[in-house]
Amino acid sequence: MNREQAVARAGSPALGSVAAFVLLALLAATVAAQGGGTLFGDRDLLEWSLAHRPDLAVTLARVVTHTGSGFVPYVVVVLAGLLLGRTSRQRILAAAACLVCLVTAQAVRFSVMALLSRPRPATAHWATDAGHWSFPSGHTTTSAVTAGLLVLAVWIRAPRGRYVLASAIGCWGVLVGLSRVYLGVHWFSDVVGGWLFGLWWLGMAAYGVARFAPDACAEVLRGAGAARRGVLLPDIPGPGSGTEPARGKVEIASESDPGAPPPSTVHTGVECLVRAPEADRGPVPPERDVSQR
């Protein structure tokens, strides 16, 4: 895939990014209009989580939620960048780009949180620690962006099993967001806002790469096409590769002197076949005289 095709295909993530941004803006406007109050379903889900909190489930939810913050997402996005590149230089640049994508997403998300200043649920309902404002959920946003970058890397580079791996990574991103509601530190609308923010940011980042770094985007999409077709063996020329085919000669010996090479006819791309000497031939059965019948 060339750079023109890569730029043309940038329209799909751009449309998705615009759609996610519009939904996020509508949700944020609704939260602001409510004065930071709850929206439809927020209190119902919080009450359900308060009524279903066995110790094992709370422990598992805490483990899942802690993977959505701290150093874990940054390690994961670096791994995604290393998977995206083919050469050492490409791996370093891709890892740096993934880090920039996550860090800038965090900065913009903090700005939105400070602008809306939505309060969290009451601290009496918390089953884990939390800080700052509520909308959009920071753990949800971070895990959504991280999961999206890792899904992209797996989808491009995994020779097989990409559906299973991508589904598992996507489920992790969803569970991190749901764990915030289950542990009582976020409203469900905060989590929805984090998912929409992640989709908007990933789509905008994909469009930016395709628009301003078309060569890198074309290389990534070329790798995705090769992965879908399977792994190709290196150094094996194919049609149109520019490698000359092997040349050989076909020599047809006369019946009288099979050992002497007669004038040969050259055919391209055909292996050289030489008839065996008479002594190496197997015995030929005698011909039957049909006139005796």
Side-chain angles (χ1 to χ4, degrees):
M1 176 173 296
N2 54 33
R3 55 186 299 168
E4 289 79 9
Q5 292 173 324
V7 173
R9 292 185 61 172
S12 297
L15 290 176
S17 179
V18 170
F21 178 78
V22 170
L23 294 176
L24 176 62
L26 291 175
L27 183 59
T30 304
V31 170
Q34 294 289 333
T38 58
L39 303 183
F40 179 78
D42 283 343
R43 291 196 176 274
D44 293 336
L45 289 173
L46 178 61
E47 292 174 359
W48 181 91
S49 67
L50 292 174
H52 299 82
R53 280 186 178 177
D55 292 340
L56 179 60
V58 171
T59 300
L60 292 176
R62 287 172 178 168
V63 172
V64 172
T65 204
H66 287 322
T67 62
S69 65
F71 70 94
V72 175
Y74 295 93
V75 173
V76 173
V77 296
V78 169
L79 175 62
L82 295 177
L83 289 175
L84 282 170
R86 288 184 173 181
T87 65
S88 299
R89 182 175 179 274
Q90 289 176 353
R91 293 188 182 100
I92 293 174
L93 291 176
C98 290
L99 277 175
V100 170
C101 179
L102 182 57
V103 170
T104 52
Q106 297 283 43
V108 175
R109 190 258 307 173
F110 270 116
S111 301
V112 175
M113 291 179 70
L115 179 64
L116 294 177
S117 302
R118 186 187 195 186
R120 293 178 182 269
T123 56
H125 304 321
W126 293 10
T128 188
D129 296 331
H132 304 291
W133 300 106
S134 187
F135 183 92
S137 169
H139 283 66
T140 304
T141 302
T142 303
S143 60
V145 174
T146 302
L149 294 174
L150 188 56
V151 165
L152 175 64
V154 167
W155 194 262
I156 291 173
R157 295 302 178 209
R160 57 181 61 88
R162 61 175 61 90
Y163 291 99
V164 176
L165 292 174
S167 299
I169 297 167
C171 287
W172 167 75
V174 171
L175 287 175
V176 170
L178 294 178
S179 69
R180 305 303 288 169
V181 179
Y182 184 75
L183 295 173
V185 294
H186 274 292
W187 306 108
F188 181 66
S189 53
D190 298 334
V191 173
V192 174
W195 287 336
L196 291 174
F197 188 101
L199 291 174
W200 163 56
W201 197 258
L202 288 171
M204 188 172 60
Y207 175 77
V209 171
R211 183 66 178 85
F212 299 103
D215 293 333
C217 183
E219 178 67 20
V220 168
L221 295 176
R222 190 181 303 114
R228 283 194 294 267
R229 292 190 298 270
V231 179
L232 300 177
L233 295 176
D235 300 329
I236 297 180
S241 62
T243 304
E244 291 294 330
R247 297 181 179 272
K249 296 182 179 181
V250 175
E251 297 180 358
I252 304 176
S254 63
E255 291 293 335
S256 59
D257 188 4
S264 58
T265 305
V266 178
H267 297 274
T268 60
V270 182
E271 295 291 336
C272 180
L273 300 177
V274 180
R275 298 185 57 176
E278 192 71 27
D280 296 336
R281 296 183 186 178
V284 180
E287 298 181 359
R288 290 184 291 179
D289 190 359
V290 297
S291 62
Q292 299 292 330
R293 297 183 179 179

